[in-house]
Amino acid sequence: MTYCVKINDREYKFDEEISILQAAAQAHIKIPTLCYNEKLAPYGSCRLCSVEVEGRKTLMPACVTKIENGMIVKTHSEKVRRVRRTIMELIIASHDISCNLNCLNCSRSSSCEIRQVAQEIGIHSIRIPPIEKKQSVDSSSHAIIREPSKCIVCNRCVRKCAEVQNVNVLTVANRGPKTIITTFMDRGMGNVDCTNCGQCILECPSGALHEAYHLDYVWKAIENSDKMVIVQTAPAVRVAIAEEFGFKPGTIATGQLVSGLRLLGFDKVFDTNFTADLTIMEEGTEFIKRFKSQKKLPLFTSCSPGWIKFIEHNYPEMLDNLSTCKSPQQMFGAVIKSFYAQKIGMDRDKIVVVSLMPCTAKKFEAQRNEMKGDVDYVLTTRELAKMFMQAGIKLMDLSAEDYDSPFGESSGAAELFGSSGGVMEAALRTAYEIITGHELENLNFHEVRGLKGIKEACVKIGTQEVKVAVAHGLGNARILMERIKKGEKFDFVEFMACPGGCIGGGGQPIPTNEEVIVERMTAVYDIDTLAKHRKSHENESVKRLYKEFFGEPLSERSHELLHTSYTVRH
Amino acid sequence: MEKIFLKTDFGKTIDNYEFLGLNKALRMKPSEVLEKVKENCIRGRGGAGFPAGIKWDFVAAEKSEIKFVVCNGDEGEPGTFKDRFLLENLPFKVIEGIIIAGYAVDARYGYIYIRGEYEKAIKSIRESIHKMTERKLLGKSILGSSFGFELKLIRGAGAYVCGDETSLLNSIEGKRGLSRIKPPLPAKEGLYEKPTLVNNVETLSVIAEILKYDQNIYLSLGTPKSRGTKLLSISGDVKNPGVYEIEFGKMSIMQIINDLAGGVKGSGLGFVMPGGIATNIISDEQLDTPYTYEDLEQTGSSLGSGGMIVVSKDRDYLSIVKNISDFFMNETCGTCFPCREGNRNINKMIDKMISDGKVGSQDIEIIREIKQAIGLAARCGFGQASVNSILSILEKYFEKKVYV
Amino acid sequence: MEKFYSKELIEELRDIQDTYGYIPEEQIVKIATKKNIPKAHLYGVISFYSMLYLEPTGKYIIRLCNSVSCRLNNSTEILRSIKEFLKIENGGTTKDKKFTLEVAECLGHCGEGPVMMINGQVYSFLTPEEAIKILKSLQ
């Protein structure tokens, strides 16, 4: 069926019954929205997208109103613009912007959607006096901070947490002027089943949600001449950091990143990719052991702390399936504060380990008791960009530099950790060669790549068939866990808390949407394709580490330093 | 004078209430009952005044195994207490109306949602359902016919906004009482996504009464656009507040106040909110307006759900405005920005007006703009009506008009 | 149809409120598990309704109507005298946990104002003295 719709006096033809918002977008007309996200169920609360439809007494919300054949729509008439301006004034009055210079010191001062929409709507005066909501900040969580005063109750975080992540810790509570977004019994993010994935931060249009900041601690450590400050960089950061400097998503900035970190004052710049290779050695061996004995299968990956907290809360009966391997971040901290500290003759207390992550949950992971303070501070990609700006460093103008030795070497497989399916692919490359003893010809396991929520594959390794699955986004993790609980058989499953994997992490530059994730993902696989060595077990520095210190994967010393345990959380 | 029509059978018990309407309806075809409702031009008595027959048509036309009738007893509008009157004193008529509605639209399951604060009405309905079930007036085969209907009572929990049709359905489904995005209308996808007919207590009672008569009795009462009678609750500065039944078109507002409600208390009449705080005020010469939907609309106000509030001229109007604004600010479901933020900000402005002791013309201008924004863009009728009385009082009594 | 034949959430919550005087956390968790609703969302539903309380209330919940018609009939006087007598503010509970005071919106008895409701029992045409007398009889 063809829909003939007149938008702003021009005729358009559409062949699907889409919303007016989508139809206008196809006609290259942007209707302003705040509570709308095409990936979430429409909520229809901000009403900024209201448009004139001939024959209707009131304005119609474009995000939920479907086009009809013969419909006549005016998206930017005087009436519409006036109403939008009034609504915007009301939002601003309740957003706690007063002469406390809130915008200037807000976490989203450069990416605030409210400011952007206000510009699109064109406010020329604010006649409505601001209201001070005086709601206290929720800083109960190690990873995510809520500032309810800045919240406009658009409900996007609630929907993201419910529909995409299926974690459901956020809700709208109360009624009337007391309507707020909060957690169960208003207890605080740190006191409920929050997994710290940070997807809510990515969804929030304002500064009402942001990570717990560590940058001041890091500055202090750097300026403390008594301390040696070491930084490790996650695979997903190097393909995203450039966005904070105006470059397009997927711009690879590894060399500049290393250079910039040195300029900031870090004593050593190492690569988490190194320990990603180390993780593959440990986990690959762990998998082979379990696969041979056919016990405790499927093996679940354990490098995503959002996933770990999720399974601890929701499926504690299956904790034994988790790999006991620490994440690359934590393996790194452990190696630095034991092996490296000994090697350079430094007291572990004098070493500060900072990790640079696309992730907010890593902040929680670092302070877990089992991790013994091996990693002191975690900076998100966004926080690092702030530090660069505070230091006047124009990152992308720097010349590329190399990581320090001995923890700067990595394989292409390590870089894959940044993308959903990457850990699986890296593990398969190594497991294949260890099990069969032969060289793997085709290194690319395409069935585990891409954006599909749950990817499955049957991989032939020698005479054996290994059933693998990959889930990204906790909503998909839950679906897959239910299938496994019902008895579906898998051997090895990769779980990532964030849609897209770490490149879509809660600490990444905003916006992080599907388009951006695809670009970052392409960059990750490009780095792998161009790498000198593409298999974890080919990493010479890793081999040397085993020779000098650990002996072999799953040795007693490995178990002591590179493996961990989990907590049942009800 | 009061016209007793709906109020017949007041106070009857199950032993002497005859269920004539139900008896007659079950002997007709459902489509005939539907026709009768349409012919009698009954307008919904919950506030919107939408023709009940058209709504019934929509639901009847839907093909579905399961359909629901939901009786809206969440009367929370300040000044309105006529539904409570019916629920406490004529419970059988209310339930009769629900069953007849079910029969006409082919719904076999019903809910009656009564606001949580109406303990007595809840008790009365609960007992009535019990007694009627015992006497096979509810259940599998009603009065020996092949029509079965089951009715459940739901108690509200204190939220005025649940009186809105779709908010009420959300409340029954165990959700927060926000309104739903329309379309789809409840007639198509209502309770638990099934076709649902939602009608006010009074509307259903009227239908039960009308079905008693072979002729189209409503056509002999009222005016062409406002057929029949209306239960009016009147309160405020009147000597005899209460629930009075009025034939449309037969009395003016002033006559209602003086002849039925005993006249104004105090030194004289200030203004009237004919449909309660959700409607514009009327005063002076407008008080001669006949009590009908169309005449009140002509004055710029509205009949609403029939809860009239009378205010004497001795009153501090600004404190009444604040009281009304408090109500809307606290009772909004809090979902859409125009209504939630609009009502909150208006409330703050009124606070300032009171503490400053003056009302600026700029403030009224802003409130006018906010009203327009809410009226055009809010999600549901609650929001759309929230600034009516406030603005009309401010405009009439506080805005300085320049006369040339 | 199982939805029609099972107890609605709002009815379950009303029952719990009537039994305990509020909705205890264990009950919230219990219902959340039973009806397969996330705890946080259930909390969001409960906090929406003014007759459902998340914290223990007094034995008697006094709801005093403050809407227009009752206001015009002097409800503010009644409020003042109750506050003085019980020595609590709006939303507060007396030390002996006997009374909780709530200023409520229209209770639907506009012709009989001023009106207060105590645990479902309606008292109308109040004067400050009568209101105190009623409270004394309950003490």
Side-chain angles (χ1 to χ4, degrees), chain B residues 84 115 150 152 158 171 235 315, chain C residues 4-5 50 69 72 106 108:
Chain B
R84 181 174 59 80
R115 67 175 290 195
E150 288 178 68
K152 280 184 93 168
S171 187
S235 63
R315 296 295 181 179
Chain C
F4 185 78
Y5 290 116
S50 26
S69 298
L72 293 174
C106 181

Side-chain angles (χ1 to χ4, degrees), chain A residues 42-47 50 57-59 64 79 82-83 86-87 90-91 93-94 127-129 131 133 152-154 172-177 179, chain B residues 158-159 176 178 181 329-338 340-342 344-345 348-349 362 365-366 369-370 372-373 375-379 384:
Chain A
Y43 194 55
S45 68
C46 74
R47 316 308 282 188
S50 300
K57 274 189 290 177
T58 61
L59 298 179
V64 293
K79 192 196 266 185
R82 211 161 152 181
V83 167
T86 309
I87 299 176
L90 289 169
I91 295 174
S94 298
R127 301 161 296 171
I128 301 174
I131 295 179
K133 290 197 289 196
I152 56 172
V153 196
C154 70
V172 186
N174 309 330
R175 181 180 81 202
T179 311
Chain B
R176 287 167 59 87
L178 359 160
I181 298 171
M329 179 181 71
N330 290 327
E331 292 292 333
T332 166
C333 73
T335 306
C336 80
F337 293 9
R340 182 187 73 228
E341 301 304 337
R344 188 215 304 256
N345 279 287
K348 277 270 167 339
M349 280 194 258
Q362 230 237 333
E365 184 54 47
I366 297 174
E369 284 263 11
I370 296 179
Q372 204 205 25
L376 288 174
R379 226 171 120 99
Q384 281 151 16

Side-chain angles (χ1 to χ4, degrees), chain A residues 36 64 110 170 279 282 350 401 435 532 534:
Chain A
Y36 176 77
V64 293
S110 55
L170 290 167
T279 307
E282 294 289 319
K350 288 249 170 19
E401 287 180 18
I435 293 177
K532 193 156 144 227
R534 297 182 65 198

Side-chain angles (χ1 to χ4, degrees), chain A residues 39-291:
Chain A
K39 292 273 183 229
L40 305 171
Y43 194 55
S45 68
C46 74
R47 316 308 282 188
L48 287 170
C49 66
S50 300
V51 293
E52 265 192 79
V53 175
E54 200 166 283
R56 304 291 182 99
K57 274 189 290 177
T58 61
L59 298 179
M60 303 302 292
C63 64
V64 293
T65 310
K66 297 261 192 287
I67 53 173
E68 286 165 26
N69 194 22
M71 199 181 236
I72 300 177
V73 179
K74 289 213 193 301
T75 63
H76 287 79
S77 66
E78 152 91 62
K79 192 196 266 185
V80 166
R81 283 183 288 126
R82 211 161 152 181
V83 167
R84 280 191 195 142
R85 276 203 291 266
T86 309
I87 299 176
M88 202 66 221
E89 279 184 72
L90 289 169
I91 295 174
I92 291 167
S94 298
H95 183 57
D96 216 25
I97 301 175
S98 59
C99 274
N100 285 325
L101 301 179
N102 276 348
C103 283
L104 300 184
N105 62 11
C106 176
S107 65
R108 296 288 290 273
S109 53
S110 55
S111 58
C112 174
E113 276 186 53
I114 298 180
R115 208 204 55 227
Q116 190 190 325
V117 171
Q119 281 180 351
E120 285 170 19
I121 286 176
I123 307 267
H124 36 62
S125 63
I126 309 237
R127 301 161 296 171
I128 301 174
I131 295 179
E132 266 195 78
K133 290 197 289 196
K134 294 196 188 129
Q135 287 158 326
S136 43
V137 174
D138 171 13
S139 44
S140 58
S141 161
H142 290 278
I144 299 171
I145 308 288
R146 287 182 49 242
E147 290 191 43
S149 292
K150 292 184 181 166
C151 175
I152 56 172
V153 196
C154 70
N155 193 262
R156 276 160 67 177
C157 58
V158 175
R159 282 175 279 157
K160 189 83 178 278
C161 193
E163 292 167 30
V164 174
Q165 297 296 78
N166 207 348
V167 172
N168 298 295
V169 292
L170 290 167
T171 183
V172 186
N174 309 330
R175 181 180 81 202
K178 301 207 186 93
T179 311
I180 48 167
I181 292 190
T182 183
T183 47
F184 179 66
M185 304 297 270
D186 207 18
R187 213 151 259 184
M189 300 281 273
N191 300 317
V192 293
D193 299 359
C194 173
T195 60
N196 303 308
C197 70
Q199 289 299 303
C200 51
I201 299 177
L202 296 177
E203 202 51 49
C204 182
S206 74
L209 283 165
H210 58 81
E211 60 270 54
Y213 292 129
H214 286 185
L215 42 132
D216 284 334
Y217 300 124
V218 175
W219 275 134
K220 214 165 160 196
I222 289 175
E223 267 146 44
N224 186 343
S225 47
D226 250 0
K227 304 272 189 192
M228 180 183 210
V229 190
I230 298 180
V231 68
Q232 50 162 322
T233 64
V237 176
R238 67 206 67 192
V239 298
I241 184 79
E243 290 163 43
E244 295 282 273
F245 295 87
F247 284 70
K248 59 185 186 57
T251 305
I252 299 171
T254 319
Q256 295 98 317
L257 179 62
V258 174
S259 175
L261 289 168
R262 285 206 182 99
L263 286 176
L264 278 178
F266 287 101
D267 294 302
K268 288 282 176 203
V269 181
F270 292 137
D271 196 356
T272 317
N273 286 16
F274 170 84
T275 35
D277 281 331
L278 183 63
T279 307
I280 290 299
M281 297 306 296
E282 294 289 319
E283 200 160 331
T285 313
E286 191 186 10
F287 171 66
I288 293 169
K289 201 163 160 210
R290 291 206 200 172
F291 191 61

Side-chain angles (χ1 to χ4, degrees), chain A residues 333-349:
Chain A
V335 167
I336 293 293
K337 292 201 180 174
S338 58
F339 169 74
Y340 188 68
Q342 275 171 37
K343 195 161 187 200
I344 61 172
M346 204 160 193
D347 193 12
R348 79 170 261 149
D349 290 332

Side-chain angles (χ1 to χ4, degrees), chain A residues 32-43:
Chain A
T33 62
L34 264 180
C35 74
Y36 176 77
N37 180 326
E38 59 183 359
K39 292 273 183 229
L40 305 171
Y43 194 55

